[in-house]
């Protein structure tokens, strides 16, 4: 093999090596840029999560711990986010809840809210009641909203686009809560009877015994 051929092969191998190195460098740069974009988006999307800390104020397993050391920092974050709450009154109410043993058997915010409503304690624990109403209505995920949107696509189609808002809301609710509706005895019969008895129609929907 002559010298020229060796030089050509060496140059070819060098160019291939540089090309592989450049591809590796480009992939590394692209990976870093992608990671930077993802991290920035995560920071932007989850920058406002301080309102979730309010849930930990009403976790029954932590009540004994809160009696020894009150969660002042969490309370400050909660009142900063939900400015409609009275901080001093809420702190007093939470202190009473933490010390009482009957509140420590609660399994979550919903059970605590039900306990307050069943015992008519809305006025006594007014700020805690407000906070519980806020907590139980905070959507933890977007699954519920996505489910509603997908339901609307099935209910309001291209061929059935002219529909009033009340009818659309009613049909969407029936579709979303179909499991709960299926547990109601004679639901379909009651709806049919109600529809037939609302006003006079051209077609006799209810059998009338004229004898």
């Amino acid at each position: 093999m002559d010298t020229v051929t060796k030089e050509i092969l060496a140059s070819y191998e060098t160019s291939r090596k540089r090309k592989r190195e450049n591809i590796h460098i480009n992939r590394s740069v692209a990976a870093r840029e992608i990671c930077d974009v993802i991290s920035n988006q995560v920071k932007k999307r989850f920058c406002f999560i301080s309102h979730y800390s309010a849930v930990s104020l009403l976790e029954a397993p932590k009540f004994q711990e809160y009696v020894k050391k009150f969660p002042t920092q969490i309370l400050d974050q909660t009142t900063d986010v939900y400015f409609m709450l009275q901080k001093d009154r809420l702190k007093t109410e939470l202190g009473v809840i933490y010390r009482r043993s009957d509140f420590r058997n609660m399994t979550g915010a919903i059970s605590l809210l039900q306990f307050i409503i069943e015992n008519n304690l809305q006025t006594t624990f007014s700020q805690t009641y407000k906070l519980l109403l806020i907590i139980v209505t905070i959507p933890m995920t977007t699954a519920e909203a996505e489910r509603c949107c997908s339901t609307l696509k099935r209910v309001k189609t291209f061929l059935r686009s002219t529909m009033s808002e009340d009818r659309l809301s009613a049909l969407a609710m029936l579709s979303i809560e179909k499991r709960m509706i299926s547990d109601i005895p004679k639901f379909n019969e009651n709806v049919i009877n109600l529809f037939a008895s609302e006003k006079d129609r051209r077609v006799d929907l209810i059998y009338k015994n004229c004898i």
Side-chain angles (χ1 to χ4, degrees):
M1 186 179 294
D2 55 1
T3 306
V4 177
T5 305
K6 290 181 179 180
E7 290 178 356
I8 293 173
L9 291 175
S11 176
Y12 177 71
E13 290 295 332
T14 303
S15 63
R16 288 186 61 186
K17 185 177 180 181
R18 288 178 180 176
K19 187 176 181 180
R20 287 195 298 268
E21 291 176 353
N22 291 333
I23 292 174
H24 179 70
I25 293 172
N26 292 334
R27 288 179 178 175
S28 300
V29 172
R32 292 194 192 98
E33 291 179 355
I34 292 172
C35 291
D36 290 339
V37 171
I38 292 174
S39 61
N40 291 330
Q41 290 296 323
V42 169
K43 290 179 181 178
K44 289 181 181 179
R45 288 176 179 268
F46 296 98
C47 63
F48 182 66
I49 58 174
S50 56
H51 59 293
Y52 289 122
S53 61
V55 179
S56 59
L57 286 174
L58 298 169
E59 292 181 359
K62 296 182 179 179
F63 285 177
Q64 291 183 349
E65 178 184 347
Y66 290 160
V67 171
K68 300 177 182 178
K69 184 179 179 181
F70 191 87
T72 306
Q73 183 178 359
I74 301 176
L75 178 64
D76 293 338
Q77 292 178 355
T78 302
T79 52
D80 289 340
V81 175
Y82 305 114
F83 54 88
M84 73 289 297
L85 298 174
Q86 300 177 13
K87 181 178 178 180
D88 295 335
R89 183 175 177 84
L90 179 60
K91 184 176 181 179
T92 304
E93 294 176 4
L94 291 175
V96 174
I97 292 174
Y98 295 158
R99 287 191 295 270
R100 290 186 62 88
S101 59
D102 47 355
F103 286 104
R104 295 177 183 175
N105 298 324
M106 303 299 158
T107 56
I110 296 178
S111 61
L112 181 57
L113 178 62
Q114 291 175 346
F115 180 83
I116 291 176
I117 294 174
E118 290 173 357
N119 293 276
N120 296 322
L121 299 174
Q122 295 93 322
T123 305
T124 306
F125 298 99
S126 60
Q127 300 304 307
T128 306
Y129 178 68
K130 288 181 183 179
L131 181 59
L132 284 169
L133 291 178
I134 294 172
I135 290 174
V136 298
T137 54
I138 293 177
M140 295 301 175
T141 63
T142 60
E144 187 69 23
E146 293 173 358
R147 188 161 63 120
C148 294
C149 292
S150 61
T151 300
L152 288 176
K153 289 181 181 179
R154 294 194 300 269
V155 172
K156 191 172 184 179
T157 60
F158 178 76
L159 297 176
R160 192 168 53 182
S161 59
T162 56
M163 188 184 305
S164 63
E165 185 176 351
D166 294 337
R167 181 181 176 86
L168 178 62
S169 299
L171 292 175
M173 186 61 65
L174 288 173
S175 179
I176 294 170
E177 303 296 343
K178 56 186 176 182
R179 290 186 179 179
M180 183 182 69
I181 292 172
S182 62
D183 296 333
I184 300 176
K186 297 183 179 180
F187 177 80
N188 294 334
E189 295 180 8
N190 294 332
V191 171
I192 293 172
N193 293 332
L194 179 62
F195 177 78
S197 61
E198 277 191 346
K199 62 180 181 179
D200 294 334
R201 303 181 186 277
R202 295 180 180 179
V203 180
D204 292 333
L205 299 176
I206 299 178
Y207 175 75
K208 298 179 181 179
N209 191 357
C210 299
I211 300 176

